[in-house]
Each structure stands twice: as structure tokens, then as C-alpha cells.
Amino acid sequence: MMTRFYQLLSVKPAENRMASLVIGVMLFTAMGAALGGTAIEALFFARFGVQYLPYMFLGLGITSMIMSFGVTALLSRVPRQVLYISIPLLVSVILIIARFAILSGQNWLYPVLWLGKEVLNIFISLVIWGIAGVACDTRQAKRLFPLFNASRILGQVIGGFATGLLVAAIGTENLLLIWAGALLVAFFLSRALLSRIQISSMPEGRKSRRRQQTLIQEMQRGYQYVRGSSLMTWISIATIFFSMLYFSISLPFSRTATQQYINEDSLAAFLGLFNGVSTAAAFLISLLLANKFFARFGIMAAILVLPIIYLIGFTSLAIAPVFYVIVAFRFAQMLWISGIADPAWQAMFNVVPPERRDQVRAFISGVPEQAGTFIAGGVLIIGEQSLPPQGLYFIGLFAAVLCTYVIYQARRGYNHALIEALRAGRPHLFYSDEQPFGGFHQDATAIQTSLNGLRDSDPAIRRVSAEILGNLSLPESTHALVDGLDDADALVRAACLRALTQSQAASALLDIAATLSDPEPDVRFEAVSALSVLAGYPYGLMRYLVPLLDDKSTKVSTRAAACLLRINPEHDKAKKHLRHTAIFGDVEAREHAIIALGDWGDVEAFAFLANELKDRTILPAVQRIILVSLTRIDALRSVPYLVDSLRSEPLVLESTVGLLAGVGAPALEPVLAALRDDDKADGALLALERLPVPPAGTLLDFARMAVSRAAEYDALMRGVQLAAGNDAMSLLAESLRSKSNAHGIRALHAIGLLGDRNAMNTAVEHLQTRDMSQRSNVIEALESIGAKWRDVLQPLMHLWEDDHAAHVDVNWDRLLNDGDEWIRECAAFAKTFGETKMDSITILSLMDRILFFKRVPLFAALSPSDLKQVAAIAVEEIFPDGEVIAHQGEQGDAMFVIVSGEVRVCIETDGVEGEVARRTTGEYVGELAIINREPRIATLIASGDVRALCIDQKSFEGLLRERPEVSLVIIQMLTKRLKEAMAKK
């Protein structure tokens, strides 16, 4: 039953404990705040005087602004884990002290408590959403935050309804103790939650390239954006009026409630009941009405209703200023703000680009909102002293009229902002993923903007609009999308077909079928996909699809074949077409056919595809597609092949890890077993990051073994390092150091899987630095992150910190029989190095090339394993004196690294050729031509006999694709060379 309940709430099994604890924190903090806040208001009104409320508004504006700065400073100076756990406990202690301080009878305590509750609520809000943010990743937050917010609202409702009962039982003052008790429960829940989560802090040595902005700087940037935005300019003005209006009704409501309920206990019971009823009603209206209202009228209309409510309310009060009118006005205000206007207000900020959104919010909440609060206090003070009671209502009426006008003007600015969002290609502004509890989905104005966008002159806007309408799935969008099937731009036509498919527009079947004859294969492909999804009966669909088996585009024909086979698995022609293309087609055709086999779910093709993986010459792109198709055909049977691919190159590995994550728990044991294979261990650790939490014992055993291996290779490295006297020994020492570090990092990743994975990954990333002071900071951070497993990691920390060791002899027997082939090769080469001179070899051996490339600045920073990859694709060539190696103006297809001799670099200008540079041993020429694919800017001529290592463009690009770290190092070296050349000029 509990499992079904959690599923209903969109909580996955592995999240049950986390979600329960966060819900508990939300529930108890909100319930306590509702009880305690009501008690403080009742005590202030009854014992201090409601007539002082305007002065409190003045203080509230100033206090809130100061608190914004204080919270920002606190976050930057106190560790978040300490902050999140300690604040509920600290606030609880403060409330207990406040309760006993009331016994002293000091009158000044009540205004302090009134302002203090606002400060405490700011801190508590920081805690609860901070804890939720730490407990959830981005995708979880999108799914679970509405649930957490619902639990917070439920806490407010319970607190509101329970107020009267508790007041009758224990008195108003003791509600502060109930609030303190609720916070103590939240303290224990948050401690239980965060005890399993290590909140990462940036290592001391780590410096961000961009300095963290202070709140003032955030507000300044927000102001700059607001000043240039018509929408946000009007919204800033409206915010001032909304703050004034909110507090302008708060005073008369509080005054009349105090007059109606003279006894503080009865006043607290009334306020609690009112807050409970209004909060519950707001939750229901948000759940049942908000989305319908937004989709029918738009979010700006929802915001516009609020000043109209103020306008009607203040007009009614000016005519009949009685208790029930004020209560009804206040109820309507709170109902619309909490249930409709507030989610609409937050959604409205989505038109601001993400990189400016927080800055704009910081400015609007920090300046106009607090200014409105301050102005409201000043106006109410003056009005109380110089105007009759109805005079304040006329001031409120006037402010409501102005606010209505401002929001009406903001609606036009919102329309312009939506159009700009379309131009910027930000479709997610117009829709969001499904969320429980009434998450915001559709806005009538945004929908109309998307419909209009399909008629825009810019094809990019038309494509984005089609994508949006497909996600919105609205009946009125079908007609516009069908019109888009005649668009001049093929990509727009294809986008409209995808949108019709996504919106299940079965009524457009005939129009979709007409696009099967479109001249563009991408459009025909989408038409086939759309028909296969939307067609209700197979007979007519087959009549349309069979001719497409002969389509000249294999992308279309294989798609048609897959669709036919889903209808009729025995369709002979479709089956033969797919399998023949998968075997004998060119690379692109094979890819399409293999994808189609997976889409069809061809069980018979499983063995064929699995056998294809045995081909070690298979292209990574084809290997990746085969793995995807195997998983689609039979996810469980594909696990062994996915696990075997954990040894693959990065591009395939990334896809493999994602597929294993999709398989889920059944893949856990095979992946854990792969840890024992040295070639698969790194890939297995990556996969485990996305699988359910593995058994701690298995990971700890692996970590201990990895630490032991790291120490073993470190000892071997130190022996070689002490005996190093030539390049071959240095290469061997560096290879051993790299091997030791690799095992150490594996141990860290394994430990990270048991704690804060992100913190560990960040620390490991910065462990690669060559800055020793920063490296020591990272090691210190690692000790903190892995404190629970200190006994496992301590030998590793000592290993990395100890640069001085006793003399160790070179263990040649161990090195020559190492399990790593590369270590064996390096050891054999180092032991015999010098017996044959490299210069006397006509053709350089692979190891000679590696040593040579290590002396070339362009490749010097590469690791030994990366150097091996570069050396493997290099071909030695010899050019006699005077031979032209490359001609100016020809398409560059190779770069040359000079082994011996000199190369003249000559540029022809106005028919005259002149020498501009000479390159000699260890330098390289022609690299720019193969990187930017442009004609050569100079002629290269051999000066004397030249021996060079040639790297052709295709091999070089393949290396960069397969080894991204190589491309990064090469880019860094080329940038350095360019800077040096510019400095010489």
C-alpha cells in the first residue's frame, strides 16, 4: 500500500526515505510557523496595539532588506550542512527564550517578536528549500518540489485549524513552545537526512574564473536588465503598488479583528481558523482551477485580477466599512494571491533569460517590494493621523486603479517578451514536464504567440513554434500545424509532422499521408513515423508504407520497413530489406538499418548484431547504435554486451553507461563483477554512478584493492625514477606514475559512490593539477569527504603526500611480467635502450616514435598512453633535398613532425616566392591546414634530406574524436604558439 502511495506521489522506490524526511521537515516547519506566527500577531494586537502596525510596516521594509544582505553573507561564510542543521535548533532555542521573556511583562517584547517572526521565517525558508535542494538533483527537484510545496501548505492548514484547540488547551503564549517543538522535530529529521549526504564545499585552492557576485552586484545587474525591458519596468512599478495594497488591507483587517475579538485567546483562534481556511481554499483553487485559468485567459490576466480584487474591495469598504466586508475582502485577497496570482507571478519571470532571472528577482524583491512596504507604512501613519477611517480606503482605491493600469500595460510587454523568447530559441518557456499538484503548464498568451509564430517570416521561429505546439497538445494547434506542412522550409515541415505526432492529431492523417511524396527525405521520414503512430488500422497503413521500401533514401526505407514489421512480423520484403542493408549497406545505410532493427525489436537479429560487436575494426558510431538496438530488442540479454563495452572508447562508453542506467537494478551485479577487470573498471565505476546504490562491502573491497595496486605501482615507479638516466627510463617512470594514479583515483570514485558523488568527482578533477599547494588543498578536502572511510584512503593520502622515499631497486622481473601490456613494452624498451641508436634506424619503431613525440612541444604534455595513440597513427616519410613537401594553396591533408633535417617555409606573393621561416628537428609544420581544413598558406620545401613523421587529417581527426583529452592538450599548445608568434610581431 505504501509503495502504491509513493508511486501516486511520483516518488521512486529509492527516494522513499529521502522524500519522507523532506516532507516531514516541510510539514513541521510550516505547521509550527502557522501556530507561532498567529500567536505572535494575536499577542501584538491585543497587548501592544494594532494602531502601531503602520510603524511596524516601516520597520519590516528596512528589516527585510537588511536580512537579504545578512542571509547572503551567512551563506558565503558558514558551511551549508552546519547552517541547515543548526538553524532549526537555534530558532527553537530563541522561541523558548522568548516564551519565558514574555513572563517579564515588558511591553517592548511584542514589536520585537512581530518583526522577529518575519526574520525567523526568512531563515526557516532558507533551511527547508536548501535541504530540499541538497537532497534532490535537478530532475528530482522538478518532479518532487511540487510535492514538497504541497506538504508545506498542508502544514499551514493543519496549524491554522489546530490553533483554536491548542489556544483553548494551553493558552496563546504557549503556542511559541509548540512552534519550538515543531522545529526540534524538523531538526532531528534534517539531521537524519543530511547525515547521509555530504554537502560539497569548493576546495580552498579552487578559484572560479568568474567571481561570485554579491547581492548588491546581482541587484545592479538586475536593474540594468529591468531598465531595458518594457515588461520588467512595469512589473517593478506594479511591485511597489502590490506591497502598498497588501499592507493597506492588513491594517484594517487586523484592527477590526482585534475589536471583534477582544480576548487574545479568541483572537488567536479566529486568526488561526481564518488562515487555515484561506490556505486550504487557496490550495484547492491552485490544484483545480489555476491551470484552467492560465490556459483560458493567460497568466497576466491572472495577475490583473488581483488589483481588480483590491479595487472592488476598497470600493466596498468605502461604502460599508463593516467587519464581514473586511473579512470577505481579506479572504478573497489571500485566496487569489496564494492560489492563482503567486504561481502566475513566478511563471511570468520565466520570460527573463535564465542567466538574468535570479538577478532580476533579487532586484525586484530587494528594492521595489521593500520600497512598497516602507511607503505603505508611511502612508498609513499619515492617513491615521490626518484622515478619517474611510480616507485610507480611498487611498487604497486610488492605488488599486493605478496598479490595474500598470499591470494592463505590462501585458503588452509580456507579449513582446514571448516573441523575443521565440527568436532566442527558448521553447521550454512555453511548456514544462508534467508535475503533480497542479504544476504550471500552459498560458493562453504563450499559446497564441506560438500559433502566430508558425506564420513568422523567420523559419527558425516557425520551427520553434511547431516544437512548442507539439508539446502543448492543444486541439486548436492541429490546424496551424497542418498548414505548416506546406511550408517552404523542409525543416519546418518535418517539425510540424513531429508536432502532429506528439499531439496525437489523428484527424490530420490524410494531410500527413500527402507528405510521403515530399522531395526531402527528412520530411518523408517524419511522415512515416507519424503515420505509424497515428493510424488506427494496419491495412491502409501498409498500403502507404510498402512502396516506401524502394525509397532512394535508406533512412526512409528502413523506417518504413520497421513500421511494416511491427504490423506484420512476417513481412518478407521488409525483413529482407532491413537485414540486407544492415549487412551490405554503406556505413550510413547500415546505421539506419540497425536502428530500424532495434525499433522493430527483431529478436532473430539479436545474435547477428551481437556478432557484429566482435569485429574490432567496427566504427564507434556503429558500435554505439548496435548497443542501443540490442537494448531495445531485449534489455536483459543485452547486459553482457553492454558490460563488455565498458572497455570502449569515451564516445561509446558514454552511451553504454546510459543504456545500463536504463536497464537499472538487473545490471548492478554484472557491472560490479566488471570491477575485477582492469580494462572495464573505469567504465564500471561510471555506470555505478547511475545505478542503484551498490553494496558498501563490495565497493570497499574494490577500493582497498585499488589502493594496494596504487602503492605497488608507486614503489615500482620510485625504483625506476631513482635509476632513470635516459628518456626510455623516464617514459617508464611516467607510465608507472600514471598507472598508480589511475588505481588511486579508482579507489576515490568507489568511495564517492558511498557518499557525495559530486563532491568526490570535483575533488578528483582538481587532483590532476600540477600546483602542489592546490594539490595539498585538494588532498585535505578528500580526507574530509572520505572521513568515514579514513582507514581505506589513508595509505593513498600518504602515498600522494610523500615525495621522498628510501632507495628502491628496479624490479625488472616484476616490470617485464606486468599484467599491463604497455608497462611490459615500456620496461623491455627501457632495459635495452641504447643498444641501438635511434638515428641509425631506417624506420622508427613505435617506442622510438613515442620518445620522439615526447620531445615535441606540441605533444609533450600528453600522457604516455596518449602518446602511444599519436605514435600509432604517424607514418615515417623521407624527403630528399629540394623536394616540395606541400604546395601553397593546396588542400592540407597531413601535418609533419620533423625528425631530422630542415624544412623551408616559403610564401609566394605577386609571383615571387620568399622564405619566411625554417623548421628543424622537433618542430612541426602544416598543422593549421588539417585543423581548419583550409588551403595551405605556405609551400614546404626540404632543405637537405628530411625525415618526418606524417599524421594524415583523417587519422588526426579520428584521434581527437576518440581521445578528447588529446584535443584539449593540443589546443592549449597551439594557443601558446600563437601567443608567442603575436608577441614576436
Side-chain angles (χ1 to χ4, degrees):
M1 185 180 296
M2 288 302 298
T3 301
R4 291 182 179 177
F5 177 71
Y6 279 118
Q7 288 176 346
L8 180 65
L9 298 179
S10 299
V11 178
K12 296 179 180 179
E15 301 167 342
N16 290 354
R17 179 182 181 276
M18 176 272 290
S20 299
L21 289 172
V22 176
I23 288 172
V25 170
M26 294 281 182
L27 186 70
F28 280 98
T29 53
M31 185 172 61
L35 290 165
T38 301
I40 289 173
E41 285 197 342
L43 292 171
F44 177 85
F45 297 154
R47 298 185 180 182
F48 191 75
V50 72
Q51 67 272 19
Y52 295 105
L53 202 54
Y55 298 96
M56 302 307 298
F57 296 156
L58 288 175
L60 180 62
I62 298 172
T63 303
S64 297
M65 186 172 293
I66 293 173
M67 281 305 304
S68 296
F69 289 98
V71 168
T72 303
L74 197 64
L75 282 171
S76 63
R77 287 168 173 79
V78 180
R80 285 188 295 161
Q81 192 157 11
V82 174
L83 199 66
Y84 294 158
I85 292 177
S86 62
I87 282 182
L89 183 62
L90 178 64
V91 173
S92 178
V93 172
I94 292 172
L95 289 171
I96 294 171
I97 294 172
R99 169 63 188 96
F100 288 104
I102 290 175
L103 297 175
S104 67
Q106 296 294 320
N107 214 32
W108 57 267
L109 282 171
Y110 300 107
V112 171
L113 283 173
W114 193 92
L115 284 177
K117 76 178 174 65
E118 301 298 329
V119 173
L120 296 182
N121 283 330
I122 290 175
F123 274 109
I124 294 301
S125 179
L126 166 73
V127 167
I128 60 176
W129 291 112
I131 289 174
V134 167
C136 298
D137 59 31
T138 305
R139 293 189 64 81
Q140 286 175 319
K142 197 171 186 179
R143 178 165 40 85
L144 297 179
F145 270 31
L147 170 63
F148 298 157
N149 191 54
S151 63
R152 184 183 62 83
I153 294 172
L154 178 62
Q156 292 173 338
V157 172
I158 293 173
F161 285 122
T163 301
L165 296 174
L166 289 172
V167 164
I170 62 176
T172 303
E173 302 100 324
N174 290 323
L175 291 184
L176 295 181
L177 297 178
I178 301 295
W179 188 3
L183 287 174
L184 282 176
V185 175
F187 161 73
F188 288 114
L189 292 174
S190 60
R191 191 175 69 169
L193 176 66
L194 296 179
S195 65
R196 296 192 179 185
I197 301 174
Q198 180 75 32
I199 303 178
S200 60
S201 56
M202 190 179 295
E204 197 175 315
R206 182 180 178 186
K207 300 293 183 182
S208 175
R209 232 163 41 101
R210 183 176 177 181
R211 293 180 61 187
Q212 181 69 35
Q213 300 291 316
T214 65
L215 183 63
I216 291 293
Q217 291 170 324
E218 291 283 340
M219 287 185 177
Q220 287 174 341
R221 289 179 177 272
Y223 168 71
Q224 294 298 328
Y225 182 88
V226 167
R227 192 175 63 174
S229 166
S230 171
L231 169 64
M232 287 301 147
T233 299
W234 287 114
I235 289 298
S236 296
I237 298 171
T239 302
I240 298 173
F241 284 114
F242 276 134
S243 289
M244 292 174 59
L245 290 167
Y246 181 88
F247 291 107
S248 294
I249 182 58
S250 180
L251 174 63
F253 173 76
S254 302
R255 180 191 291 121
T256 53
T258 304
Q259 293 170 351
Q260 189 77 13
Y261 300 94
I262 301 175
N263 179 272
E264 65 188 39
D265 289 348
S266 60
L267 176 60
F270 166 75
L271 292 176
L273 180 64
F274 179 85
N275 291 333
V277 171
S278 62
T279 304
F283 176 64
L284 290 175
I285 198 174
S286 174
L287 186 66
L288 302 175
L289 181 63
N291 275 334
K292 295 177 182 178
F293 190 96
F294 296 154
R296 179 72 181 274
F297 302 105
I299 63 171
M300 294 305 293
I303 297 172
L304 181 62
V305 169
L306 183 57
I308 293 175
I309 289 174
Y310 283 120
L311 196 152
I312 295 171
F314 281 116
T315 300
S316 301
L317 286 177
I319 297 171
V322 295
F323 175 69
Y324 294 106
V325 173
I326 292 178
V327 171
F329 180 12
R330 180 69 165 176
F331 182 82
Q333 174 210 28
M334 298 303 295
L335 179 71
W336 196 261
I337 286 177
S338 300
I340 305 289
D342 187 56
W345 184 265
Q346 299 303 324
M348 177 267 301
F349 278 97
N350 287 340
V351 299
V352 180
E355 64 274 12
R356 288 285 180 266
R357 199 170 296 156
D358 289 340
Q359 296 164 349
V360 171
R361 278 197 173 110
F363 169 75
I364 288 179
S365 63
V367 180
E369 184 176 326
Q370 305 313 321
T373 304
F374 190 86
I375 291 170
V379 169
L380 290 173
I381 290 171
I382 296 172
E384 287 276 287
Q385 295 174 352
S386 58
L387 295 174
Q390 273 90 345
L392 290 176
Y393 301 147
F394 282 107
I395 292 176
L397 178 62
F398 179 68
V401 170
L402 292 178
C403 189
T404 303
Y405 172 78
V406 170
I407 293 297
Y408 182 80
Q409 292 297 323
R411 293 180 69 184
R412 290 196 292 182
Y414 181 71
N415 292 341
H416 293 311
L418 288 173
I419 294 171
E420 288 304 312
L422 277 182
R423 294 189 187 281
R426 293 191 280 126
H428 293 285
L429 165 63
F430 296 81
Y431 59 85
S432 62
D433 292 343
E434 284 294 320
Q435 296 177 339
F437 303 103
F440 171 73
H441 300 297
Q442 297 170 358
D443 168 30
T445 309
I447 292 168
Q448 190 58 50
T449 302
S450 304
L451 290 168
N452 294 339
L454 272 179
R455 298 189 295 271
D456 196 274
S457 59
D458 186 346
I461 292 181
R462 301 201 297 274
R463 289 196 295 272
V464 174
S465 298
E467 179 185 344
I468 292 167
L469 293 173
N471 279 279
L472 293 177
S473 302
L474 299 171
E476 59 265 38
S477 66
T478 301
H479 180 75
L481 290 170
V482 168
D483 287 344
L485 298 180
D486 289 326
D487 197 279
D489 188 279
L491 293 178
V492 174
R493 299 197 298 274
C496 288
L497 285 167
R498 284 194 298 274
L500 288 167
T501 306
Q502 196 167 356
S503 58
Q504 296 291 307
S507 60
L509 272 174
L510 285 177
D511 301 275
I512 293 171
T515 62
L516 290 172
S517 59
D518 194 280
E520 291 296 327
D522 286 340
V523 178
R524 300 197 300 275
F525 175 85
E526 295 296 343
V528 172
S529 302
L531 285 176
S532 67
V533 172
L534 300 177
Y537 298 96
Y539 178 75
L541 178 60
M542 291 181 66
R543 294 288 299 271
Y544 277 109
L545 294 182
V546 169
L548 291 171
L549 293 175
D550 300 317
D551 195 280
K552 59 184 178 181
S553 168
T554 53
K555 181 178 181 180
V556 177
S557 64
T558 54
R559 183 66 169 174
C563 295
L564 283 167
L565 288 165
R566 280 201 294 270
I567 298 170
N568 176 17
E570 301 304 321
H571 197 287
D572 189 58
K573 184 177 180 180
K575 189 184 299 185
K576 287 181 178 177
H577 176 66
L578 273 190
R579 293 178 177 175
H580 182 274
T581 307
I583 298 171
F584 299 108
D586 58 27
V587 174
E588 184 179 0
R590 289 187 67 207
E591 290 179 4
H592 293 314
I594 292 169
I595 291 171
L597 288 171
D599 289 342
W600 166 33
D602 185 2
V603 177
E604 295 176 7
F606 191 96
F608 157 70
L609 293 174
N611 189 61
E612 287 291 289
L613 291 174
K614 297 177 181 178
D615 180 4
R616 294 305 174 188
T617 64
I618 190 172
L619 293 173
V622 177
Q623 182 184 356
R624 187 168 67 245
I625 290 171
I626 289 176
L627 292 171
V628 172
S629 293
L630 287 176
T631 308
R632 288 180 178 175
I633 294 170
D634 192 329
L636 291 180
R637 281 180 66 195
S638 69
V639 170
Y641 302 99
L642 294 172
V643 170
D644 189 60
S645 295
L646 290 173
R647 68 173 87 241
S648 302
E649 297 297 336
L651 291 177
V652 178
L653 180 60
E654 182 181 354
S655 179
T656 301
V657 167
L659 293 171
L660 284 168
V663 174
L668 183 59
E669 285 301 322
V671 172
L672 285 171
L675 288 173
R676 295 191 289 270
D677 187 327
D678 203 48
D679 292 335
K680 300 176 186 174
D682 291 324
L685 288 169
L686 285 175
L688 288 171
E689 289 187 3
R690 298 178 61 180
L691 288 170
V693 178
T698 304
L699 288 179
L700 288 173
D701 288 343
F702 172 79
R704 289 189 183 96
M705 181 190 69
V707 170
S708 175
R709 298 291 303 278
E712 181 183 0
Y713 279 108
D714 185 77
L716 290 170
M717 180 271 296
R718 292 177 188 275
V720 173
Q721 200 173 41
L722 289 171
N726 55 55
D727 291 342
M729 291 291 282
S730 297
L731 178 65
L732 175 58
E734 188 173 343
S735 299
L736 291 167
R737 182 192 298 275
S738 178
K739 192 76 174 176
S740 175
N741 283 341
H743 281 293
I745 287 172
R746 285 177 184 176
L748 294 177
H749 280 307
I751 294 299
L753 291 171
L754 299 173
D756 188 344
R757 303 177 182 188
N758 292 332
M760 185 63 81
N761 289 339
T762 301
V764 168
E765 177 187 344
H766 288 81
L767 190 63
Q768 314 302 321
T769 180
R770 297 185 180 185
D771 184 338
M772 295 311 296
S773 62
Q774 184 172 344
R775 182 182 171 90
S776 64
N777 288 330
V778 175
I779 292 173
E780 185 177 347
L782 283 171
E783 288 184 333
S784 173
I785 296 169
K788 289 177 65 175
W789 301 277
R790 190 180 303 276
D791 61 316
V792 179
L793 294 181
Q794 199 66 41
L796 191 62
M797 300 299 106
H798 287 319
L799 201 69
W800 285 338
E801 288 180 321
D802 181 19
D803 290 329
H804 305 286
H807 179 76
V808 181
D809 292 330
V810 180
N811 189 343
W812 288 112
D813 288 340
R814 170 67 180 77
L815 291 169
L816 293 170
N817 292 283
D818 192 81
D820 189 319
E821 182 183 3
W822 171 246
I823 298 296
R824 294 198 305 271
E825 289 177 3
C826 286
F829 183 66
K831 191 172 184 181
T832 60
F833 184 75
E835 296 178 5
T836 306
K837 294 291 185 182
M838 187 181 78
D839 291 341
S840 67
I841 303 176
T842 305
I843 300 298
L844 296 175
S845 69
L846 178 64
M847 299 302 294
D848 286 327
R849 291 179 203 166
I850 292 171
L851 286 186
F852 179 75
F853 277 124
K854 191 163 182 60
R855 294 194 293 267
V856 176
L858 181 61
F859 304 107
L862 295 179
S863 68
S865 58
D866 291 333
L867 284 171
K868 182 181 179 181
Q869 298 293 325
V870 176
I873 65 173
V875 177
E876 185 178 1
E877 293 193 18
I878 299 176
F879 302 95
D881 182 30
E883 182 174 343
V884 176
I885 300 172
H887 290 275
Q888 180 179 343
E890 71 180 7
Q891 193 66 37
D893 60 357
M895 67 175 291
F896 305 91
V897 183
I898 304 167
V899 177
S900 63
E902 291 185 341
V903 173
R904 296 168 54 219
V905 181
C906 302
I907 295 179
E908 182 178 329
T909 306
D910 298 329
V912 179
E913 186 176 83
E915 182 179 321
V916 295
R918 284 198 178 218
R919 304 296 183 204
T920 186
T921 301
E923 294 189 279
Y924 44 92
V925 289
E927 75 284 354
L928 292 178
I930 70 168
I931 290 175
N932 59 24
R933 297 189 177 189
E934 293 182 356
R936 296 192 185 276
I937 60 174
T939 297
L940 308 176
I941 304 172
S943 178
D945 292 340
V946 172
R947 295 171 65 203
L949 291 172
C950 172
I951 302 176
D952 68 88
Q953 184 178 37
K954 186 175 181 180
S955 299
F956 186 71
E957 291 180 347
L959 173 67
L960 298 187
R961 281 194 300 270
E962 294 177 9
R963 312 280 292 193
E965 61 274 21
V966 175
S967 62
L968 178 61
V969 173
I970 290 176
I971 289 170
Q972 290 171 343
M973 292 306 302
L974 289 174
T975 303
K976 182 179 178 182
R977 181 170 175 175
L978 181 61
K979 287 181 178 178
E980 290 172 351
M982 293 176 66
K984 290 178 181 178
K985 290 183 179 181

